[in-house]
Amino acid sequence: MSAFVPTRTDEPSREKRLHEPHSPPPTRPRHRIAGADVSASIAVFLIALPLSLGIALATGAPLQAGLVAAAVGGIVVGYLGGTPLQVSGPAAGLTVVTAELIQRYGWRTTCAITVLAGLAQLGLGFVRVARSALAVSPAIVHGMLAGIGVTIAVAQLHIVLGGIPHSSVLDNMRELPAQLAGVHAAALSVSALTLALLLAWPRIPGRIGGLLRKVPAPLVAVAGASTAASFAGLSLPKVDLPSWSSHALAGLPEGPVLGLVAAVLTITLVCSVQSLLGAVAVDKLVATRPELSARVGRSDLDRELLGQGAANVVSGVLGGLPVAGVAVRSSANVQAGAVSRNSTMLHGVLVVVAALLMVPILELIPLASLAALVMAVGIQMVSLHHIRTVTRHREVLVYATTTLGVVFFGVLEGVTLGIAMAVAVAMHRLTRTRITHDEKEGVHHVHVRGQLTFLAVPRLSRALHLVPQGARAVVELDGSFMDHAAYESLQDWQNTHTAHGGSVELIGRRSGVRIGEPTGSVGLHLDGTGTAESADCRCHPWTAWRNHQCEIPESVTSRDGQAGEAQAAGADDSDEAGAPGKTGAAGATGTSDDTGELDTVGGAGTSDGTESPTGSGRPDESGVDGADRVGAGSETRGVSDGTDGSRPSGRQLARGISAFQRNTAPLVRGELARLAREGQQPSQLFLTCADSRLVTSMITSSGPGDLFVVRNVGNLVPLPGQESGDDSVAAAIEYAVDVLEVRSVTVCGHSGCGAMQTLLNSEPDGPDTPLRRWLRHGLPSLERMSDEDRPWARLAGRAPADAVEQLCLTNVVQQLEHLRAHESVARALREGALELHGMYFHVGEAQAYLLAEEGEESTDDVFDHVGVADLSA
């Protein structure tokens, strides 16, 4: 069965409930727990149970303490917290801190410290400072977690090898060679089996794998290792849960006051920051499910802090570990389909049931298996994604300082060192300004890179005085901040220079405007293409040309219009050159056009897209994730006049190219240079319609080099031998599959396709035009739709809106069959080197659908859901 799957579902409509003015309002239904919450709670419980025991083992606390914290976190935070779908409990990020406290003060005092930290969190929640906690640099947070992860992994490695860990990382590293020399074979084999199951379980392929993966990997790993150890009769230390009657509760804190205060602050800091960042991550996950987002809403961070504080007070009093929001369990809760806070609370109830009734089963678990599980969690806390992110933002020094500080000195000390390093880096960036002067063709250029403050005024003054009197000068300010001292210095020099017959252009990096006109008028800067840019342009880079609201003087407009017509007449580039998309900076892309302005027709395919130079897999802050293209055979309508105001004139093309050259080209030049050296290596052949509203790089989040694009009217694939002199599509398919060795081919249709509407309404005896001759390749789609023996294709949850949409969907399925008839495609499919995919994009809804092939002998074409992409934090 085939299924078009929406990658984003629409918010369900809500019916208004009306009753008579004088009648009583309808009674509210009884509170019921949704079935989705029940299933999600079970999934989270199965993950939380082994992890709670493992974290308690890693801290040196009584194992029951982990179960107490999991139950309290689920029930108390689930009921009081401000993030309904976040799951709280004992967190790996608190392992090192708690272990150190137990080692120094003992268990009962550690419980008291947890209570005091909870009270501190309550106080912070009441004064509503939760948002302020997010001001901590992500490099510090990720560095702290990485340092904790390293400490956990090194300590648990000793238990995995059959030994006993020491209290410090240095001691554990120093004793590691001796531990390796005396490996305990039984402990190592159980640990290895646990790790193997943990890694292999999520990667089981096929339909059976999809069913098996519903059981959480941590549960499978621990259960499998415990079963194997029991059957093999291995003599290993196992979980020991004493009677609850002997469980130690909190006592009065004992120890030096300053030490206890530092401990409380540390627990408060780590618990609060981790929980609040987890809440933000859960919001991002919920946002991928619009129907859930409308029901759950955004997190109330102050309420979440209050809930976490209350949970730590209760957990400490009952003898449990500190509680914080846990990313792994929260992600599993959202992905399992939870719809309310009931799932979190019910998972806590299940932990209580397990702690009371499953003690004999839990005591079969070898400690080596739990240690291996926690060691894997510690390794995962050193995230390569986070390292790449801080590298991209030049925060590696802060990250490394925090990580090493946590490993060698402790969490509080490491975070303090990280904050100090972050302040030092920020001050260095604020004071480091590079000012250069050079002369090109009689024009003196002064380039200021960085923030322009009073500290840089002497260097700025020296560079400006290198410009001779009466000369033409261009000052480019490549920064985001200028203080008053620098502004006055620059203005004084400008006034003096212009008074002696010179000219000055002060150009902003992003706006491209001349600042400080002596006449007080809006300055305009003519860039390399001769295109004028407005000083007050606030249009987004993806704004369609017809919607730009820029004020441009008539003189510049007329001159620019002539240049635009000349450039538009010669534009015939077959590459979608403007698709850098994920720049993460200025965000202006391509020709500063998005939809409805350029119609790209024909061509044997273009390479479109790579990972952005920044490496980010997301759109930039302005939401841009693609650009338009100037395609082979581009038809730019209305380029010759534009006086009627209904369509943009030809100058808009030059304006868009100018925006690309100014804002985007400097950001992608290095990446494009690499592609020029290495050649294109796209992984996808993307065959779609020439409709100007279909922006392939935007809807696929791709950039230069990712997609080999073929565009034609109606996204048609002529059958072999029926091209009648036009082999462009067949040539593109052969080149992509045989030469470029793409791994997949996608045929993408869209709503409101003019080609399909023309095909549907065409008269049998109509004139033989080029368009009619081309559309004959779509007749098999029309015949397929008319065949009563074949069920109609439809979208998930609804039938097609009209006959045109029905034909658009059917055409995607039919063109995939045409693809299979091409020799190169058929051969690659037989060898298993190629995949075929169908896609449908609803323009009006900005909604993408994927055609999932579930079997070669599909009896119908039902466009059904296949789930939501994995976006776990």
Side-chain angles (χ1 to χ4, degrees):
M1 182 178 71
S2 304
F4 271 105
V5 183
T7 58
R8 178 182 177 187
T9 55
D10 293 330
E11 181 179 347
S13 60
R14 299 182 179 180
E15 299 179 357
K16 295 183 178 180
R17 299 176 182 177
L18 303 176
H19 56 275
E20 295 299 325
H22 300 289
S23 63
T27 58
R28 298 180 62 181
R30 290 185 177 181
H31 180 72
R32 294 181 180 179
I33 298 178
D37 283 333
V38 175
S39 59
S41 68
I42 295 174
V44 175
F45 159 73
L46 295 177
I47 295 174
L49 189 63
L51 283 176
S52 300
L53 292 172
I55 291 171
L57 172 67
T59 61
L63 295 184
Q64 295 102 318
L67 300 177
V68 170
V72 171
I75 297 173
V76 176
V77 182
Y79 183 72
L80 299 176
T83 308
L85 300 188
Q86 175 162 252
V87 180
S88 301
L94 292 161
T95 302
V96 175
V97 180
T98 310
E100 183 179 353
L101 294 180
I102 295 174
Q103 185 78 17
R104 182 177 301 177
Y105 299 111
W107 172 239
R108 292 171 64 88
T109 297
T110 300
C111 291
I113 292 172
T114 302
V115 173
L116 295 174
L119 293 175
Q121 285 182 297
L122 288 173
L124 293 175
F126 281 121
V127 297
R128 307 184 69 81
V129 297
R131 287 284 173 189
S132 303
L134 299 180
V136 180
S137 169
I140 297 175
V141 176
H142 298 324
M144 177 190 73
L145 294 177
I148 292 172
V150 171
T151 305
I152 292 173
V154 173
Q156 298 308 299
L157 181 59
H158 282 269
I159 301 179
V160 166
L161 297 175
I164 299 175
H166 297 274
S167 58
S168 72
V169 179
L170 292 178
D171 291 339
N172 284 325
M173 290 181 175
R174 192 180 300 113
E175 296 297 328
L176 193 57
Q179 187 65 62
L180 290 171
V183 171
H184 191 286
L188 182 60
S189 61
V190 170
S191 300
L193 178 60
T194 303
L195 293 174
L197 289 173
L198 194 64
L199 294 175
W201 192 259
R203 295 170 174 80
I204 300 176
R207 186 176 301 176
I208 296 179
L211 296 175
L212 294 177
R213 286 194 297 271
K214 292 183 179 180
V215 182
L219 178 67
V220 173
V222 173
S226 302
T227 303
S230 297
F231 279 115
L234 299 179
S235 177
L236 289 170
K238 296 182 180 179
V239 169
D240 183 18
L241 294 174
S243 171
W244 284 101
S245 60
S246 60
H247 178 63
L249 303 178
L252 293 176
E254 298 178 0
V257 175
L258 290 180
L260 293 174
V261 171
V264 171
L265 291 177
T266 303
I267 294 290
T268 303
L269 171 69
V270 178
C271 286
S272 301
V273 172
Q274 182 168 343
S275 299
L276 294 176
L277 291 177
V280 173
V282 170
D283 279 347
K284 294 179 181 179
L285 288 175
V286 171
T288 64
R289 297 171 54 190
E291 77 285 354
L292 181 60
S293 180
R295 179 170 180 174
V296 175
R298 293 185 61 83
S299 297
D300 182 341
L301 296 185
D302 292 305
R303 179 179 173 181
E304 178 67 18
L305 199 54
L306 290 172
Q308 296 289 341
N312 274 312
V313 171
V314 175
S315 181
V317 169
L318 297 180
L321 291 171
V323 172
V326 187
V328 175
R329 281 166 251 179
S330 301
S331 174
N333 192 36
V334 175
Q335 292 172 358
V339 295
S340 72
R341 61 178 72 245
N342 291 331
S343 63
T344 304
M345 297 169 62
L346 187 56
H347 124 270
V349 173
L350 292 176
V351 172
V352 173
V353 173
L356 296 176
L357 303 180
M358 295 178 59
V359 172
I361 298 176
L362 297 178
E363 290 183 338
L364 296 176
I365 301 175
L367 296 183
S369 179
L370 292 178
L373 178 64
V374 177
M375 184 180 73
V377 173
I379 294 173
Q380 291 172 355
M381 292 173 70
V382 186
S383 170
L384 294 178
H385 170 69
H386 291 158
I387 294 175
R388 286 193 292 267
T389 300
V390 298
T391 301
R392 186 166 64 250
H393 291 93
R394 296 182 299 167
E395 299 280 351
V396 176
L397 198 56
V398 177
Y399 179 91
T401 300
T402 308
T403 300
L404 294 176
V406 170
V407 169
F408 293 109
F409 302 110
V411 174
L412 189 60
E413 293 85 353
V415 171
T416 303
L417 288 173
I419 292 174
M421 181 57 66
V423 172
V425 169
M427 293 299 297
H428 175 70
R429 290 176 179 173
L430 186 62
T431 57
R432 183 188 179 191
T433 305
R434 182 182 178 186
I435 304 175
T436 59
H437 166 268
D438 62 349
E439 180 185 357
K440 295 180 182 178
E441 301 178 355
V443 180
H444 291 260
H445 295 266
V446 177
H447 186 190
V448 180
R449 181 174 299 173
Q451 317 311 320
L452 197 52
T453 65
F454 68 94
L455 297 173
V457 167
R459 283 178 291 150
L460 175 65
S461 180
R462 284 194 295 269
L464 293 176
H465 281 83
L466 294 176
V467 181
Q469 288 186 0
R472 181 185 174 191
V474 176
V475 180
E476 184 175 353
L477 305 176
D478 189 359
S480 59
F481 175 76
M482 179 194 304
D483 70 3
H484 186 68
Y487 176 79
E488 280 197 349
S489 176
L490 197 56
Q491 285 293 90
D492 290 344
W493 173 84
Q494 181 188 18
N495 294 335
T496 303
H497 189 75
T498 54
H500 287 82
S503 64
V504 179
E505 282 183 306
L506 301 181
I507 304 170
R509 172 173 64 91
R510 296 184 62 178
S511 60
V513 300
R514 185 171 32 183
I515 306 169
E517 290 282 335
T519 62
S521 61
V522 175
L524 292 172
H525 163 239
L526 290 178
D527 61 14
T529 64
T531 306
E533 286 295 329
S534 166
D536 295 324
C537 178
R538 293 295 182 266
C539 300
H540 295 295
W542 66 92
T543 303
W545 288 342
R546 64 169 59 88
N547 294 328
H548 274 256
Q549 305 296 326
C550 305
E551 298 286 340
I552 302 175
E554 287 293 330
S555 60
V556 178
T557 301
S558 60
R559 178 175 70 248
D560 185 47
Q562 295 172 2
E565 291 175 13
Q567 295 216 24
D572 192 23
D573 182 6
S574 64
D575 190 15
E576 296 189 11
K582 300 155 283 190
T583 59
T589 56
T591 60
S592 287
D593 171 42
D594 189 25
T595 57
E597 303 299 340
L598 295 181
D599 252 326
T600 308
V601 183
T606 58
S607 175
D608 168 34
T610 67
E611 284 290 326
S612 68
T614 65
S616 172
R618 307 178 182 166
D620 67 355
E621 292 180 359
S622 61
V624 182
D625 206 9
D628 216 323
R629 72 272 321 128
V630 182
S634 296
E635 179 191 353
T636 310
R637 291 172 284 195
V639 297
S640 60
D641 58 32
T643 57
D644 60 352
S646 61
R647 292 179 183 272
S649 63
R651 68 178 182 273
Q652 297 288 5
L653 181 61
R655 284 171 54 85
I657 297 173
S658 168
F660 168 78
Q661 292 298 143
R662 181 179 63 257
N663 296 325
T664 305
L667 300 174
V668 301
R669 189 168 285 120
E671 179 69 10
L672 291 178
R674 182 188 66 79
L675 289 171
R677 291 192 306 268
E678 300 176 0
Q680 63 169 327
Q681 296 177 342
S683 61
Q684 305 263 345
L685 167 59
F686 197 84
L687 194 149
T688 189
C689 185
D691 193 291
S692 62
R693 300 165 298 176
L694 207 63
V695 187
T696 57
S697 54
M698 182 175 67
I699 65 177
T700 59
S701 299
S702 59
D706 283 339
L707 303 181
F708 189 76
V709 180
V710 177
R711 304 193 70 154
N712 62 51
V713 176
N715 49 276
L716 300 178
V717 181
L719 285 168
Q722 295 187 9
E723 292 87 349
S724 299
D726 182 7
D727 292 329
S728 63
V729 177
I733 293 171
E734 180 182 346
Y735 186 77
V737 175
D738 291 344
V739 179
L740 298 178
E741 297 181 345
V742 297
R743 295 188 295 274
S744 72
V745 181
T746 299
V747 176
C748 178
H750 67 96
S751 63
C753 181
M756 295 298 102
Q757 189 166 1
T758 302
L759 184 63
L760 196 63
N761 298 331
S762 61
E763 299 292 337
D765 54 351
D768 187 20
T769 64
L771 178 60
R772 183 182 179 86
R773 288 195 296 272
W774 171 253
L775 290 181
R776 75 183 186 280
H777 301 302
L779 291 176
S781 300
L782 192 59
E783 296 170 357
R784 184 189 190 99
M785 189 180 75
S786 303
D787 189 351
E788 296 182 355
D789 294 333
R790 290 189 176 185
W792 280 7
R794 61 181 177 84
L795 296 175
R798 68 172 175 88
D802 51 29
V804 175
E805 185 170 61
Q806 181 66 71
L807 185 56
C808 292
L809 297 173
T810 305
N811 184 56
V812 173
V813 179
Q814 184 64 36
Q815 300 311 313
L816 286 173
E817 290 193 6
H818 289 187
L819 264 176
R820 294 187 180 94
H822 285 260
E823 180 182 353
S824 56
V825 174
R827 181 174 60 255
L829 288 173
R830 288 195 301 269
E831 295 172 355
L834 187 67
E835 297 178 351
L836 300 185
H837 302 286
M839 179 175 169
Y840 176 77
F841 186 75
H842 195 291
V843 176
E845 300 173 356
Q847 175 67 66
Y849 294 82
L850 298 177
L851 177 63
E853 296 289 341
E854 297 186 4
E856 296 181 0
E857 302 297 331
S858 179
T859 59
D860 55 3
D861 296 304
V862 179
F863 295 63
D864 197 6
H865 294 267
V866 295
V868 180
D870 182 7
L871 298 174
S872 59

